Amino acid sequence: MTDTFDRSIKIAPSILAADFAALGAECEAVCAQGADWIHVDVMDGHFVPNISFGPGMCAALRSHVKTVMDVHLMIAPVDRYITAFAEAGADFITAHLEAGPHIHRTLQAIRGAGAKAGLALNPGTPAEAVAPVLDEVDLICVMTVNPGFGGQSFLEGQVAKIRRLREMIGDRPVHLEVDGGVDPTTAQRVVAAGADVLVAGSAVFRGGSIADPAPYGENIRAIRSAAGAPDGA
Ligand code: DX5
Ligand code: ZN
């Protein structure tokens, strides 16, 4: 990963919507079809009502992910697992602000482990909650669904929060990511509000498969073009 900050639009397919029996091949297929980053949703059945992957899965996928591995931790507590995810090869490790009382320590620990530090906000958390740690983050993730499941409807009320966070970030080298219900229609609105990383699960993987991956590329291009970005594939 280069250290040059890049605010161009990036599409980050969430492999929560991929074929779990063939995740390595799915990562390779979606990268070949133009994904900019790969988004890995880690769920613990405690912070969110669903269970998905752990650090062992991230380590196994690492060699199949030819680009940035963006690991979204929907777990509590967080700190005791940071080293494992960093050693698994995560480029970004994103923790939830709501996951514990010591988010500043968590963000420091992520950077200390050699990864980029992300901070995710549930829909009920205001933009202003980020202000005290703005200089400790490399990415802010605005949840536009309640975390836990793919395929939910985009929460329109979060667009104003994206706009506010974009103002708060200013010139800092901080990515503004949007996660949940992103499709060509909503992508246009969140990019207009200032987002640069678009996570999309169902809207990328629908209609395709490892045997027939072309729809992944069509879906990625549809999101990218609705976002007003040039085709980076
Ligand atoms: C939700 C996850 C999202 C989700 C996105 O808890 O963080 O990344 O998989 O899925 P879609 O794009 O289907 O809403
Ligand atoms: Zn996610």
Side-chain angles (χ1 to χ4, degrees):
M1 211 171 83
T2 158
D3 271 343
T4 309
F5 188 76
D6 170 16
R7 214 188 288 287
S8 64
I9 302 302
K10 289 161 285 294
I11 312 294
S14 162
I15 57 168
L16 198 62
D19 176 358
F20 277 23
L23 282 178
E26 287 278 51
C27 289
E28 289 184 13
V30 82
C31 285
Q33 291 294 327
D36 298 298
W37 292 9
I38 293 292
H39 184 83
V40 184
D41 284 308
V42 175
M43 304 180 179
D44 66 352
H46 168 74
F47 180 69
V48 291
N50 194 5
I51 299 177
S52 59
F53 322 113
M57 180 66 86
C58 290
L61 290 177
R62 182 63 267 193
S63 64
H64 300 272
V65 174
K66 311 299 184 196
T67 180
V68 170
M69 182 185 266
D70 174 34
V71 177
H72 177 192
L73 300 182
M74 287 161 275
I75 65 174
V78 181
D79 294 9
R80 68 180 68 155
Y81 300 104
I82 289 171
T83 305
F85 283 103
E87 286 176 355
D91 294 298
F92 284 82
I93 299 178
T94 295
H96 267 261
L97 191 143
E98 307 83 4
H102 298 296
I103 192 63
H104 189 284
R105 174 182 293 149
T106 301
L107 295 167
Q108 282 185 319
I110 294 171
R111 283 183 166 177
K116 300 276 187 190
L119 179 59
L121 304 182
N122 279 337
T125 301
E128 280 64 28
V130 172
V133 292
L134 257 182
D135 291 317
E136 322 299 327
V137 299
D138 301 295
L139 176 148
I140 298 170
C141 174
V142 177
M143 294 304 302
T144 41
V145 298
N146 284 295
F149 302 96
Q152 303 182 79
S153 299
F154 181 84
L155 297 171
E156 197 63 50
Q158 300 302 305
V159 175
K161 186 157 93 185
I162 297 166
R163 199 173 295 118
R164 175 72 189 119
L165 283 163
R166 180 62 256 159
E167 289 169 7
M168 289 168 65
I169 288 169
D171 291 334
R172 291 177 180 84
V174 174
H175 295 289
L176 187 50
E177 177 176 77
V178 176
D179 187 4
V182 172
D183 62 16
T185 307
T186 56
Q188 192 274 329
R189 291 206 284 285
V190 302
V191 168
D196 66 296
V197 184
L198 308 182
V199 176
S202 10
V204 166
F205 285 94
R206 74 167 57 104
S209 66
I210 294 162
D212 177 24
Y216 299 166
E218 289 157 20
N219 294 337
I220 289 169
R221 284 190 292 279
I223 296 170
R224 205 188 294 284
S225 120
D231 185 4

